[in-house]
Amino acid sequence: MSFKGIVTRKDEDTGVNLLAKIVTPNKKRSTKKIFSVKVKANSLSDFECCVIDVSTARSKITKGINIVDVRSDVPMSYYGENGTTISYKIVDVDNGSPKLSKYLKSDGKLNGRPKYGEGDATGFIEIEAKKNAAKTSTRISVTILQTSSTEVLFNDTYFTHAIIWNIIRKTNAAYSSDESSSGHKNIKADLDFKESYVCPLTDTPIQLEYDVKGGEINVNSGKVVRMSNTGVYGKISYTNACTLVGSSYNAKISGSPNVRTVIIGDLTITVTLKLGSDATRSFVFNCATSSEQITNEEVLNALTDGILQYYTSTNDSNKLSHAFSSSISTSSPDYVFIGINDGEGEITVYKCGNGGNGANLLSIPSLKLSEGEVILETSYEIKDIQGTGSYDDNMINQAFNGGQWSSNAENTQSTLKFKYNNFYSAASDKKKFSVACKIDIKAYGGDQLKGSRTVYARFAVNTEGMTDPSAHV
């Protein structure tokens, strides 16, 4: 008898003494007792011992596991109770199916299962009992089923939202549980709607199907397909996207002013995996697309209407306003009629979004740019009435104090003063002039070096009503 209590019967009677010891839970008291045990001799023949032990070894396997669907280790460690030696061997069959020995080792350890599509691994476990010259053996037919299609698709090691997104994201950012940085919440390029995908659990391609909801949206310019059913990303300008903010598609502004975009939500992409005839699994992504970045040109377009110029004179409290335009108009300019020695006049350019008095910094509500977020430089030049050539240098020096503009402390307005007296004796073509304003925007979008425009306002001075200035000295 071994220390484990396993009895091996010999050819003659044998005996052994067993010492049993009992200890109290607190280990303060104990008692011992000796038992004399007799193991009677085995009266069976060697072959009979082999037959009994090989049958016992077989029974331990067939009763311990499901031999037609092995999912765990197989018990291959039986010691012959009748003095036999038990051995095990894996026997493969050549039927085109996966080899059983690839997945079940000779010590009974299970080493995985065949991939889906490979077929079931079949074969035999051969058990042999041997005692002296006698021996006998038996075989057990065993099957390890291939991984099922459902097991493949619902294996969370190979299929999660992060993995599926990485399969289709192409150049978009990776998936993250933090939605503020996850690529599916800031789509800005095409997706790769693959038709199939192969994972390590199968050599059979998994079919991928897609359903896109909310891919077509309405913007100022009409309908735009921002995400097609084939994964093509449709660009939306920042200007158009701004019209959606606060009204639809959960659109919101994102980023600092110079790299600002609009994130447009309410886009659902469902990816359905199919394997075999009946196994399916779907992953739903609640997505958002990104508009294009704000550009210098968009800011310039808004500023053309956001900078106004006013004329005032010392004897006339009324203002004559003229908005800058992108080109010199062929229509008549705004005329300033001068009476008797009108003294001085001034042209003030206000950089304000609503044409007000320049008390506030310029904002562009249509582009969601607040006060202080509009970064621009302006410069002004006196030109001829057509706006195509320079004005007379002598007149600039005499009538316009050298053409110097002055700005207020907030830099929201610039003022140019001029003297009417100098126009009285000037040539007729010098009595008219234009003011050109150059706006430089170089802080928005990807190309920081592009973005300037010259806009014009046209004024003409009429001195017909002015008498000789010397008569009023």
Side-chain angles (χ1 to χ4, degrees):
M1 178 179 288
S2 74
F3 68 92
K4 292 182 180 180
I6 298 175
V7 175
T8 302
R9 299 176 69 184
K10 303 296 184 179
D11 294 334
E12 58 186 21
D13 292 346
T14 57
V16 65
N17 292 327
L18 298 179
L19 174 64
K21 182 178 181 181
I22 301 174
V23 182
T24 60
N26 60 12
K27 298 183 179 181
K28 292 184 177 181
R29 300 181 63 187
S30 65
T31 185
K32 297 179 181 179
K33 186 174 180 62
I34 297 176
F35 297 90
S36 296
V37 178
K38 182 178 181 179
V39 180
K40 293 186 66 65
N42 191 344
S43 61
L44 300 173
S45 68
D46 289 351
F47 183 76
E48 290 174 319
C49 291
C50 291
V51 171
I52 293 173
D53 286 355
V54 81
S55 177
T56 302
R58 179 188 181 95
S59 179
K60 288 183 177 294
I61 292 176
T62 56
K63 291 182 179 180
I65 63 169
N66 183 358
I67 60 174
V68 296
D69 183 10
V70 178
R71 300 290 181 105
S72 61
D73 293 346
V74 178
M76 293 186 181
S77 57
Y78 171 64
Y79 297 93
E81 297 177 2
N82 293 290
T84 63
T85 300
I86 306 296
S87 62
Y88 300 86
K89 183 172 68 173
I90 306 300
V91 180
D92 293 322
V93 294
D94 189 12
N95 60 359
S97 63
K99 302 297 184 184
L100 180 64
S101 60
K102 180 179 179 180
Y103 303 99
L104 185 62
K105 301 307 177 182
S106 58
D107 60 357
K109 297 293 184 182
L110 186 65
N111 184 34
R113 292 164 59 199
K115 296 179 180 180
Y116 172 84
E118 286 184 335
D120 304 331
T122 58
F124 298 95
I125 299 174
E126 185 174 276
I127 309 171
E128 182 182 76
K130 185 176 182 181
K131 184 175 183 180
N132 297 321
K135 64 180 179 180
T136 188
S137 63
T138 184
R139 283 185 173 186
I140 304 171
S141 178
V142 174
T143 300
I144 301 176
L145 297 180
Q146 69 174 348
T147 305
S148 71
S149 57
T150 300
E151 288 175 307
V152 172
L153 296 188
F154 286 85
N155 188 305
D156 290 337
T157 298
Y158 297 103
F159 296 107
T160 63
H161 276 83
I163 292 172
I164 297 300
W165 177 253
N166 285 337
I167 291 172
I168 68 172
R169 70 182 176 93
K170 210 169 184 179
T171 60
N172 291 286
Y175 186 90
S176 171
S177 57
D178 179 4
E179 292 191 348
S180 64
S181 61
S182 184
H184 78 291
K185 286 294 187 179
N186 190 15
I187 299 173
K188 56 180 66 175
D190 291 348
L191 297 176
D192 186 5
F193 281 4
K194 301 177 185 293
E195 293 183 356
S196 61
Y197 175 74
V198 176
C199 87
L201 297 178
T202 175
D203 290 330
T204 302
I206 298 168
Q207 301 304 307
L208 304 179
E209 295 181 357
Y210 305 88
D211 179 60
V212 178
K213 288 183 170 59
E216 184 178 274
I217 63 175
N218 293 310
V219 296
N220 238 11
S221 59
K223 288 186 177 180
V224 176
V225 179
R226 56 167 168 164
M227 181 56 61
S228 75
N229 289 324
T230 58
V232 177
Y233 166 76
K235 295 180 179 179
I236 300 176
S237 71
Y238 178 80
T239 299
N240 275 336
C242 280
T243 63
L244 305 176
V245 176
S247 62
S248 54
Y249 304 106
N250 287 316
K252 59 183 179 181
I253 298 295
S254 176
S256 58
N258 64 324
V259 291
R260 186 158 286 174
T261 61
V262 177
I263 303 299
I264 309 167
D266 292 353
L267 173 68
T268 302
I269 299 175
T270 302
V271 184
T272 300
L273 285 60
K274 291 187 175 183
L275 183 61
S277 60
D278 56 357
T280 63
R281 186 182 185 185
S282 295
F283 292 84
V284 179
F285 297 90
N286 296 313
C287 303
T289 54
S290 174
S291 73
E292 295 188 275
Q293 281 187 3
I294 188 173
T295 64
N296 294 331
E297 184 177 10
E298 287 173 303
V299 179
L300 275 171
N301 288 340
L303 283 176
T304 298
D305 296 326
I307 295 183
L308 299 179
Q309 128 175 302
Y310 289 84
Y311 156 80
T312 61
S313 71
T314 53
N315 294 335
D316 187 356
S317 61
N318 294 322
K319 292 181 178 180
L320 177 65
S321 66
H322 189 107
F324 282 95
S325 60
S326 59
S327 63
I328 288 295
S329 173
T330 57
S331 60
S332 298
D334 292 321
Y335 275 88
V336 179
F337 291 92
I338 307 301
I340 297 175
N341 189 8
D342 226 358
E344 288 189 345
E346 64 181 34
I347 291 176
T348 301
V349 176
Y350 293 96
K351 291 181 282 187
C352 52
N354 57 4
N357 60 11
N360 298 317
L361 293 175
L362 179 64
S363 64
I364 307 179
S366 63
L367 298 182
K368 310 304 178 185
L369 293 175
S370 305
E371 295 177 358
E373 293 182 337
V374 181
I375 305 170
L376 75 156
E377 294 180 2
T378 54
S379 58
Y380 308 96
E381 184 180 356
I382 305 164
K383 302 179 75 68
D384 63 19
I385 192 64
Q386 287 80 25
T388 56
S390 60
Y391 189 66
D392 184 82
D393 288 340
N394 288 330
M395 285 293 290
I396 290 176
N397 289 329
Q398 296 172 18
F400 294 96
N401 296 318
Q404 295 299 312
W405 293 77
S406 60
S407 297
N408 64 344
E410 295 84 8
N411 196 30
T412 59
Q413 66 187 63
S414 297
T415 301
L416 174 69
K417 292 185 177 182
F418 59 94
K419 301 173 183 177
Y420 290 116
N421 290 353
N422 295 93
F423 289 95
Y424 179 76
S425 58
S428 60
D429 62 326
K430 299 300 184 289
K431 298 179 185 292
K432 304 173 184 179
F433 61 89
S434 296
V435 176
C437 173
K438 185 178 182 182
I439 307 172
D440 285 300
I441 300 291
K442 297 181 180 178
Y444 300 91
D447 191 343
Q448 301 299 309
L449 300 179
K450 289 184 178 179
S452 65
R453 181 175 299 164
T454 301
V455 292
Y456 304 89
R458 299 179 68 192
F459 284 82
V461 177
N462 188 325
T463 60
E464 291 178 352
M466 183 183 292
T467 58
D468 186 348
S470 63
H472 303 279
V473 177

